[in-house]
Amino acid sequence: MSDKPLVMVLNGPNLNLLGTREPDIYGTETLDDIAGRLEDEARELGVAVDLRQSNHEGHLVDWLHEAASVEARAVILNAAAYTHTSVALRDAVAAISVPVIEVHLSNPHARERFRHRSHISPVARGVIAGLGAEGYSLALRAAATL
Ligand code: DQA
């Protein structure tokens, strides 16, 4: 077990398909590519990262609770489509004292109307959107200083 501060990086539905999923919107990097880069950056920042992905809302809720119980430094959360639909995820973010940074590869505000509402943003510490995979790195840098 690492004694470095832990940053959990939680990813929601369909993000396992990054690389081949609508590359014009989400880019060509896979989630494994992103994980590898975050590992390198985490080493330089002196934190540990634990990147996970699930297509199931309840897994994400459970992982947010886990972040609190292991006293993670921060959570980086790309809840994907659940951002726009999930009161359960919003409540989980609000229920924990671990700061949550909301990340999106695309800029949902520049897309369809149904993506304009985020249930997560009002309870997130910060939001990074529209900068592609670089958004995760920026969030990690912020998380390390929280
Ligand atoms: C997303 C944006 C969401 O609207 C969408 O449902 C996703 C990915 C993003 O990273 O740009 O699955 O969260």
Side-chain angles (χ1 to χ4, degrees):
M1 220 359 232
S2 164
D3 55 0
K4 293 176 180 169
L6 175 67
V7 179
M8 286 175 73
V9 186
L10 305 182
N11 293 278
N14 302 306
L15 293 172
N16 54 311
L17 300 180
L18 283 183
T20 57
R21 174 193 182 198
E22 301 182 89
D24 45 321
I25 297 174
Y26 298 117
T28 52
E29 268 194 284
T30 66
L31 201 54
D32 279 349
D33 294 335
I34 293 171
R37 196 146 37 75
L38 290 180
E39 290 285 349
D40 293 343
E41 290 165 354
R43 214 167 295 122
E44 283 172 27
L45 292 166
V47 297
V49 283
D50 179 356
L51 184 144
R52 304 178 189 181
Q53 187 277 331
S54 177
N55 295 323
H56 303 277
E57 190 176 11
H59 289 166
L60 295 161
V61 171
D62 288 344
W63 290 341
L64 286 163
H65 296 178
E66 185 184 331
S69 66
V70 302
E71 298 180 4
R73 166 71 61 88
V75 172
I76 295 169
L77 175 64
N78 185 348
Y82 289 141
T83 304
H84 316 299
T85 63
S86 178
V87 175
L89 272 180
R90 178 206 162 106
D91 284 353
V93 171
I96 62 173
S97 55
V98 178
V100 173
I101 303 174
E102 177 183 355
V103 166
H104 300 283
L105 295 148
S106 67
N107 176 359
H109 297 285
R111 300 180 62 195
E112 303 93 326
R113 240 182 120 72
F114 65 85
R115 295 184 203 275
H116 295 183
R117 179 183 66 177
S118 167
H119 286 298
I120 308 298
S121 297
V123 288
R125 174 66 72 93
V127 183
I128 297 173
L131 302 176
E134 176 67 14
Y136 285 86
S137 298
L138 294 168
L140 183 63
R141 192 161 291 279
T145 65
L146 287 175

